[in-house]
Amino acid sequence: MASSDLPAPVGTKKNGNFKFAFTRAIFASMACIILGYDFGVMSGAAIYIKKDLKITDVQLEVLIGILSLYCLIGSFAAGRTSDWIGRRFTVVFAAAILFTGALVMGFAVNYAMLMAGRFVAGVGVGYAVMIAPVYTAEISPPAARGFLTSFPEVFINFGILLGYVSNYAFARLPLHLGWRVMLGVGAVPSVLLAFMVFVMPESPRWLVMKGRLADARAVLEQTADTPEEAARRLDDIKAAAGIPRDLDGDVVTVPKKQSSEEMQVWKELVLSPTPAMRRILFSVLGLHFFQQASGIDSVVLYSPRVFQTAGITGDNQLLGATCAVGATKTLTILIATFLLDRVGRRPLAMTSTAGMAVSLVGLGTGLTVVGHHPDARITWAIALCIASTLAFVSFFSIGLGPIAGVYTSEIFPLRVRALGFAVGVACNRITSGVVSMTFLSLSKAITIGGSFYLYAGIAALGWVFFFTCLPETRGRTLESMGKLFGMEDTDSMAEAVDQAATKEKAVDMPANY
């Protein structure tokens, strides 16, 4: 495909319109704080849970990693829920589930109740990680979409930092109380999120799918430069939703498909996809797989264990070093938000993955050297472990971390976007669950240094995948993404929809018309 055939990047929006999308993206992304907080706080709380409940390493890694698998229920349910009640109210529903899960974990009296709380929280996390990026992508202007749709990852990292700080702050409480307070505090962001939703408009793309064109136009006019641009974007969304361009009004009847809408979406995305749709799905699944299989959750969830192996002793020192990891992740993700729309998704993904692979080799080397000299304190190896860990989370957060959500929310066509994002999240969470539930066992089998060498090899394979399979999406409208993967462009789709509508009218006309 010639580069001249592709649409040019869209220009910068007005400040007022950008501020509107900016604040709404922040509100939606608040849901992701709870996910980050849960991951961060569990890394430190696990130390005290194991002591208090007297559980084994296997029980501990299952407790930590099972949340990612429970996310599958929430991520798939969120796709259907958001298409049914809207993106906005799905955020409220997610907040309610997360609030309940945090309270159950905070008041848990035994391992079984703690696992029940993890189940509830996992479903809520699945809702949050699916709906926040989809909503943000659908409300964002094209020129700032990379910046705004990286917010969920920013808030995940901020939540991780808050979890680490919570570990440090409550570590001095009595053993039976400290970890319960750490987990229960996670209910607070859910309450704030439920109130913030009242100032969030509904996604214009969901409104069009429901035939509410006037409401969609009103939202688009708040993010577009001019009413004319809002009208053009509305026409593109109508075409993507299968609504003829000449069908207008405040509320219209959306043309019905021959088969049920849900089965049609599954058929188009999974059961019998076109070559272009198959390429989109393959790109998303690969992106999410390599993001998690390269070991980020092993570092985030088990950082106290990693630092302990490296030779750092004492709970306060371990939790302090872990806080440094959280602070580094948060700072670098903030840098990434400004680079996504300037540098582009593809260069950041490749640079990030290469840096992660090198950092993992350094971490594996440092841990291996320390492991071979258990009775000696090798300062340079300890320093290498700390530096490599901070470098790894920095490279992850500046590229691969935010890009997975940004890219997935961009490239699926409107009619399959919710389900497509849910499938991507499912792959992400399954891989995350496998990695986090096997890290301790893997470390015992091939040593902890060997585990990070394995992750480095996976990251190198990821770099090859990104180089060969991910086209650049910076600056394009959501409705034009399909062209990158070989789909018809929006104008062709609109023309086809209009022709179909005209033909249907002709068939329905009486013979003597």
Side-chain angles (χ1 to χ4, degrees):
M1 183 183 297
S3 59
S4 59
D5 295 335
L6 301 177
V10 182
T12 307
K13 304 298 179 185
K14 287 183 177 178
N15 287 337
N17 297 332
F18 173 77
K19 289 178 181 177
F20 175 84
F22 178 85
T23 54
R24 274 58 186 180
I26 287 178
F27 295 155
S29 300
M30 278 288 294
C32 294
I33 284 185
I34 299 107
L35 168 61
Y37 182 85
D38 189 276
F39 271 67
V41 78
M42 188 55 74
S43 69
I47 299 173
Y48 307 104
I49 291 172
K50 185 177 181 181
K51 292 178 183 178
D52 189 26
L53 301 184
K54 296 178 174 56
I55 58 178
T56 65
D57 273 350
V58 173
Q59 288 177 304
L60 185 64
E61 64 183 358
V62 170
L63 175 68
I64 291 174
I66 197 68
L67 181 126
S68 293
L69 299 185
Y70 291 152
C71 281
L72 297 177
I73 301 171
S75 64
F76 277 106
R80 185 171 183 178
T81 305
S82 66
D83 283 343
W84 178 37
I85 65 174
R87 309 331 192 198
R88 179 170 173 255
F89 287 109
T90 302
V91 174
V92 180
F93 191 54
I97 299 173
L98 289 164
F99 178 81
T100 304
L103 289 184
V104 172
M105 288 190 292
F107 287 102
V109 296
N110 52 39
Y111 183 75
M113 187 173 176
L114 193 55
M115 286 291 286
R118 295 291 279 175
F119 171 77
V120 177
V123 173
V125 166
Y127 266 89
V129 298
M130 180 271 174
I131 194 58
V134 168
Y135 175 86
T136 305
E138 292 187 344
I139 203 170
S140 300
R145 190 176 56 248
F147 173 69
L148 296 178
T149 51
S150 66
F151 278 17
E153 186 67 21
V154 172
F155 279 82
I156 288 174
N157 281 271
F158 185 60
I160 290 173
L161 177 59
L162 289 179
Y164 290 159
V165 172
S166 176
N167 289 153
Y168 193 82
F170 299 121
R172 294 168 183 80
L173 292 176
L175 179 63
H176 72 282
L177 183 62
W179 65 265
R180 290 180 170 90
V181 174
M182 294 175 190
L183 298 179
V185 168
V188 175
S190 304
V191 177
L192 297 176
L193 178 63
F195 284 106
M196 286 179 178
V197 81
F198 290 106
V199 295
M200 292 166 54
E202 185 51 82
S203 158
R205 287 160 176 86
W206 182 83
L207 293 170
V208 170
M209 288 172 62
K210 298 302 177 181
R212 295 165 56 182
L213 301 187
D215 292 338
R217 186 180 296 109
V219 177
L220 287 170
E221 286 175 352
Q222 291 179 290
T223 60
D225 272 351
T226 63
E228 291 75 18
E229 182 185 341
R232 287 195 301 271
R233 290 172 59 188
L234 181 61
D235 284 342
D236 289 343
I237 299 171
K238 286 167 62 179
I243 300 176
R245 267 186 186 167
D246 59 355
L247 184 61
D248 205 358
D250 289 350
V251 180
V252 302
T253 301
V254 180
K256 300 292 183 181
K257 295 181 173 67
Q258 295 296 322
S259 58
S260 71
E261 183 176 350
E262 183 181 354
M263 283 306 300
Q264 184 71 19
V265 169
W266 274 96
K267 181 179 178 181
E268 186 173 354
L269 181 64
V270 179
L271 301 179
S272 58
T274 62
M277 187 68 76
R278 191 178 299 114
R279 186 184 170 196
I280 290 174
L281 185 61
F282 179 69
S283 298
V284 166
L285 292 178
L287 180 57
H288 281 278
F289 170 79
F290 285 111
Q291 186 206 50
Q292 291 299 323
S294 53
I296 183 61
D297 282 352
S298 294
V299 173
V300 171
L301 291 170
Y302 297 102
S303 51
R305 181 76 65 108
V306 172
F307 288 135
Q308 188 176 44
T309 304
I312 299 175
T313 57
D315 287 353
N316 285 339
Q317 288 179 309
L318 289 173
L319 295 179
T322 302
C323 285
V325 173
T328 301
K329 277 180 64 64
T330 303
L331 290 174
T332 49
I333 190 67
L334 291 174
I335 296 172
T337 60
F338 295 99
L339 295 178
L340 282 165
D341 287 317
R342 290 171 171 79
V343 177
R345 286 59 157 160
R346 178 182 163 88
L348 279 180
M350 293 172 61
T351 303
S352 167
T353 310
M356 288 165 58
V358 173
S359 301
L360 286 167
V361 170
L363 181 56
T365 301
L367 291 169
T368 300
V369 170
V370 171
H372 286 165
H373 302 83
D375 298 326
R377 182 177 177 85
I378 306 176
T379 305
W380 70 265
I382 296 174
L384 178 61
C385 290
I386 296 173
S388 296
T389 300
L390 296 179
F392 174 73
V393 297
S394 297
F395 278 114
F396 177 87
S397 296
I398 208 166
L400 196 52
I403 284 171
V406 171
Y407 205 83
T408 305
S409 64
E410 289 179 328
I411 64 175
F412 282 110
L414 173 62
R415 56 194 176 277
V416 299
R417 186 171 298 142
L419 178 62
F421 201 95
V423 170
V425 169
C427 177
N428 188 289
R429 294 297 90 197
I430 288 174
T431 310
S432 170
V434 170
V435 169
S436 55
M437 286 195 296
T438 58
F439 177 71
L440 295 180
S441 301
L442 182 66
S443 298
K444 290 178 181 178
I446 64 173
T447 75
I448 191 169
S451 299
F452 288 108
Y453 283 135
L454 176 62
Y455 296 146
I458 294 173
L461 291 176
W463 188 94
V464 175
F465 177 85
F466 301 147
F467 179 77
T468 56
C469 298
L470 298 190
E472 181 57 67
T473 60
R474 178 172 61 99
R476 298 178 181 278
T477 64
L478 293 181
E479 287 67 42
S480 69
M481 291 294 177
K483 197 172 181 182
L484 291 172
F485 297 89
M487 286 185 171
E488 295 180 0
D489 60 17
T490 302
D491 292 336
S492 300
M493 292 169 60
E495 185 178 350
V497 170
D498 292 341
Q499 288 176 353
T502 303
K503 183 177 180 181
E504 183 178 348
K505 290 178 183 178
V507 171
D508 291 341
M509 289 177 185
N512 61 350
Y513 180 78

